[in-house]
């Protein structure tokens, strides 16, 4: 977890799969942004990433660790909100492209 001076909170999942303590991370820290691996080989796939989104309930999801070589077949475009999580914004980052966050932290 990273918390910025303005209160914005970012969760970086590293190279993990989904795990039940993501619910505790939500309950204690309420991340605004979640960086989630979605390669579907060494880490979680899309189905597990959707479940992680339901546990973490971030406003923005940044997919990572997918598509860099053929074995990593996860496709973040298939990530969909489910009944438990009606909305999140998907930010697929591109190399060399800067993205600025114009969003304030939740109160």
């Amino acid at each position: 977890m990273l918390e910025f001076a303005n209160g914005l909170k970012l969760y970086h999942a590293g190279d993990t799969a989904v795990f039940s303590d993501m619910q505790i991370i939500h309950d204690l820290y309420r991340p605004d942004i979640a960086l989630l691996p979605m390669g579907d080989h060494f880490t979680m796939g899309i189905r597990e990433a959707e479940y992680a989104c339901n546990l973490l309930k971030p406003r923005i999801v940044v997919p990572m660790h997918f598509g860099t070589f053929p074995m990593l077949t996860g496709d973040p475009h298939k990530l969909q909100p489910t009944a438990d999580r009606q909305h999140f914004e998907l930010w697929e980052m591109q190399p060399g492209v800067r993205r600025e966050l114009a969003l304030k932290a939740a109160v």
Side-chain angles (χ1 to χ4, degrees), residues 67-107:
T68 51
F69 53 95
M71 188 180 289
L72 302 181
T73 60
D75 181 357
H77 295 107
K78 294 179 180 175
L79 187 68
Q80 296 294 320
T82 62
D84 291 342
R85 181 64 183 157
Q86 292 299 320
H87 176 74
F88 55 80
E89 188 176 344
L90 184 67
W91 280 20
E92 186 177 341
M93 304 300 292
Q94 299 297 324
V97 176
R98 180 180 172 157
R99 191 123 189 220
E100 292 197 27
L101 188 62
L103 147 83
K104 294 184 180 179
V107 179

Side-chain angles (χ1 to χ4, degrees), residues 11-19 22 35-39 42-45 48 52 64-65:
Y11 171 66
H12 190 292
D15 283 337
T16 63
V18 65
F19 56 100
M22 287 180 172
L35 282 70
L36 299 177
M38 301 182 190
F42 299 109
T43 62
M44 63 182 102
E48 295 85 4
M64 58 181 191
H65 302 193

Side-chain angles (χ1 to χ4, degrees), residues 21-31 55-57:
D21 284 358
M22 287 180 172
Q23 179 65 54
I24 295 171
I25 292 167
H26 164 74
D27 292 346
L28 291 177
Y29 305 108
R30 302 204 185 282
L55 294 173
L56 293 164
K57 297 177 177 49

